[in-house]
Amino acid sequence: MLLLFIASYSLLRLVERAECFSAGNSIARRPVVQQQHVTLALGGSISFINNDRRKYNNNLHPAAFRLNSVSDTDTDTSISIDSSASGMDYDMESSMVVDEEDGIVCARGICVVADDEAPELCRIDYDNDEDLNCVPNENAVEPGLSFAFLWPRALLLICSVLYGTNFPLGRLMNDSLPASAATSSRMLLASVALSPFLFQLKPELRWTAILCGSFTALGYVSQSIALVDTPAATVSFLGALVVIVCPALAVLVNKKKMGFSDAPQTWISATLCLIGVGLLELGGDSGFGFGDVGWGDFWSVLQAVGFGTSFFITERMMAKEPTQALPITAVQCAMSAAIASAWAVLDGTQAFDGLFSFGPHGAWLLDENVASSFTLPGLFLNIDFRAVAGAAAFTGFITTAANRVGETIALGKLSSSEASVLLATEPLWAAIFANYLIGEQLGFWDAIGGALIVVACVATALEPEWLREKLGIEYRE
């Protein structure tokens, strides 16, 4: 456990020096570029991204335009407009019509509107493969011990801690309930909590959100199956393979350049992650070998594929519609609840000769007494299942629904790099809570492998320009 803390702290310090971005993001961050301010003679100032290779900014997402009263940069350009010639004989400062939207912050499959005091403002640039252009925010809260600086970071860290509890609590629920019943109960409760946001989803996003929710369901279902017979910490560490899944999808789907010189942080992260997984899987108590590898490991990796694909699709949607973070999340939970409920029906009736069953419970749905205790609302009425019901309520209402709301609130006040590093600690907390709640012990090689995987998650946030400079890599765009 000490090794995990040492590795995480060392990488945190490294990332602080590197001005990092986002872990596993499918949308790449362009280098910080210079802002150009266009000052209008009639009053007001518009700030937008100035890319040396682009003459016009028409292809920037509307979020690229932001009113700004400061215009004292080195590249200040003054454009005079004749109000009489254009028919504008009114006060431009008070009547200018601009599609004004804030910048965005993206981390681990979520994009939200950046707060006015966020450290940086990122916007989509359609001229550069829909990458994000990010500029420092001159109105950002000064780093220090002030409440305004600390509370969003503390909130996001708490969210990461709470996400880590899902794994041991999932294992605890699976000890008493069929995995399908535990998952469907959790996701149904989360869906109820987030249901008000469903009606705020924009119609044009519905089918994409449903597709994304299907992959989210794959992640949750695979995770629950893995937790039947696989240590919670192992499931969490293998779930961190999303740092490989997202870049792979960026190459396969978006045809994005992902050579070592293009994204050195991705290759370093993938290498560390694969080494960590190798140590975790092959370094058992009896020495190196394949004896400890089982189906639970397969489901744990499939979990990463499901969540990674969901992150990839979600981030593309939310980057263009950052106000839709919670409605999209509500759809994801609703789809997960629907698919998990269908799984529970197939499992509980032993359909297809028990193909969808993962445990000793048999046709539990056909036994009225058992079914009433394993499903809602009977789960909360049976005093013998009080601890399990509490775990279902906690993972549904708190760590799935409320946690996403808290994450959305905190994320808008941070840079993508800070958020990614804080969220990358989730496997660490999962290992700690697995030890505390259910008595799981990490072996020596498990700890080493887990530490490397956590380091890999943090390493994806390193700035590629910084790495190229340190590694002496020549790069031509």
Side-chain angles (χ1 to χ4, degrees):
M1 202 69 67
L2 179 62
L3 290 170
L4 292 176
F5 276 112
I6 293 174
S8 299
Y9 178 77
S10 301
L11 259 293
L12 284 172
R13 297 298 299 172
L14 180 62
V15 168
E16 285 178 359
R17 296 174 52 196
E19 297 182 4
C20 45
F21 179 48
S22 175
N25 279 358
S26 61
I27 302 178
R29 178 181 189 258
R30 305 293 298 175
V32 174
V33 296
Q34 195 172 26
Q35 275 190 307
Q36 177 173 323
H37 296 262
V38 178
T39 305
L40 303 180
L42 295 177
S45 174
I46 301 177
S47 172
F48 57 87
I49 306 302
N50 176 26
N51 190 307
D52 292 336
R53 295 180 301 165
R54 185 171 59 251
K55 184 175 181 181
Y56 302 105
N57 288 306
N58 296 334
N59 289 327
L60 279 175
H61 186 263
F65 298 97
R66 179 181 176 84
L67 292 180
N68 195 320
S69 60
V70 180
S71 59
D72 55 353
T73 63
D74 294 336
T75 58
D76 187 270
T77 302
S78 182
I79 299 178
S80 297
I81 299 178
D82 186 350
S83 61
S84 59
S86 59
M88 296 185 296
D89 54 353
Y90 50 85
D91 183 6
M92 185 70 171
E93 184 172 4
S94 60
S95 305
M96 186 191 310
V97 178
V98 177
D99 186 10
E100 179 187 0
E101 295 184 34
D102 288 329
I104 58 177
V105 181
C106 297
R108 206 175 72 163
I110 302 177
C111 292
V112 300
V113 177
D115 189 79
D116 289 338
E117 297 181 342
E120 65 182 8
L121 300 174
C122 298
R123 299 161 177 114
I124 300 175
D125 183 357
Y126 287 106
D127 279 350
N128 290 300
D129 298 324
E130 297 188 3
D131 288 345
L132 292 181
N133 269 323
C134 298
V135 294
N137 182 10
E138 57 194 19
N139 298 318
V141 175
E142 288 293 328
L145 298 179
S146 66
F147 178 77
F149 180 79
L150 292 177
W151 80 259
R153 289 154 181 83
L155 176 59
L156 194 61
L157 181 60
I158 291 172
C159 290
S160 186
V161 172
L162 291 175
Y163 280 133
T165 66
N166 283 328
F167 297 91
L169 290 178
R171 183 68 188 267
L172 180 68
M173 288 189 289
N174 285 353
D175 287 342
S176 301
L177 300 176
S180 59
T183 306
S184 58
S185 295
R186 170 190 174 184
M187 300 315 301
L188 281 169
L189 294 174
S191 298
V192 170
L194 293 172
S195 59
F197 296 105
L198 278 173
F199 305 101
Q200 300 176 20
L201 184 72
K202 293 184 176 181
E204 62 268 23
L205 297 178
R206 286 173 185 167
W207 290 110
T208 307
I210 288 173
L211 173 65
C212 181
S214 300
F215 282 105
T216 304
L218 174 63
Y220 280 119
V221 169
S222 301
Q223 180 187 102
S224 186
I225 296 173
L227 287 170
V228 171
D229 58 6
T230 307
T234 300
V235 176
S236 176
F237 286 133
L238 292 178
L241 282 169
V242 293
V243 302
I244 296 177
V245 174
C246 289
L249 288 172
V251 173
L252 295 174
V253 177
N254 292 343
K255 310 300 181 184
K256 185 175 288 293
K257 294 172 61 179
M258 201 67 75
F260 184 74
S261 60
D262 298 301
Q265 79 285 5
T266 300
W267 285 91
I268 292 172
S269 174
T271 302
L272 290 172
C273 192
L274 290 175
I275 294 174
V277 169
L279 293 176
L280 194 68
E281 292 299 299
L282 305 180
D285 295 333
S286 57
F288 281 90
F290 291 93
D292 295 329
V293 179
W295 277 106
D297 302 291
F298 165 79
W299 291 109
S300 298
V301 174
L302 189 59
Q303 161 203 208
V305 174
F307 285 132
T309 307
S310 172
F311 291 169
F312 178 82
I313 299 173
T314 305
E315 195 167 86
R316 309 299 292 189
M317 282 194 295
M318 292 186 183
K320 298 175 183 178
E321 299 285 354
T323 61
Q324 292 286 289
L326 289 176
I328 291 172
T329 299
V331 174
Q332 290 175 329
C333 286
M335 284 299 301
S336 298
I339 292 175
S341 297
W343 172 33
V345 171
L346 295 172
D347 173 24
T349 58
Q350 291 291 284
F352 303 100
D353 294 326
L355 179 64
F356 297 93
S357 300
F358 299 89
H361 300 282
W364 55 270
L365 203 55
L366 301 180
D367 186 322
E368 185 176 347
N369 292 329
V370 175
S372 63
S373 297
F374 283 0
T375 57
L376 298 176
L379 180 63
F380 291 99
L381 303 178
N382 191 329
I383 60 173
D384 294 331
F385 287 89
R386 186 169 297 170
V388 179
F394 186 80
T395 55
F397 289 130
I398 305 301
T399 65
T400 303
N403 224 31
R404 184 54 66 91
V405 175
E407 184 179 356
T408 302
I409 293 172
L411 189 58
K413 298 180 180 297
L414 305 179
S415 66
S416 298
S417 58
E418 291 176 296
S420 298
V421 170
L422 290 171
L423 292 172
T425 62
E426 178 187 320
L428 172 64
W429 300 114
I432 293 173
F433 281 106
N435 176 266
Y436 178 73
L437 295 175
I438 56 179
E440 285 188 1
Q441 299 291 329
L442 279 179
F444 176 77
W445 291 113
D446 293 329
I448 296 293
L452 286 175
I453 292 172
V454 172
V455 169
C457 293
V458 178
T460 59
L462 291 171
E463 181 70 43
E465 286 74 25
W466 182 85
L467 278 175
R468 293 188 197 110
E469 179 183 349
K470 296 301 179 182
L471 299 176
I473 300 173
E474 295 185 3
Y475 180 66
R476 293 181 181 179
E477 295 190 21

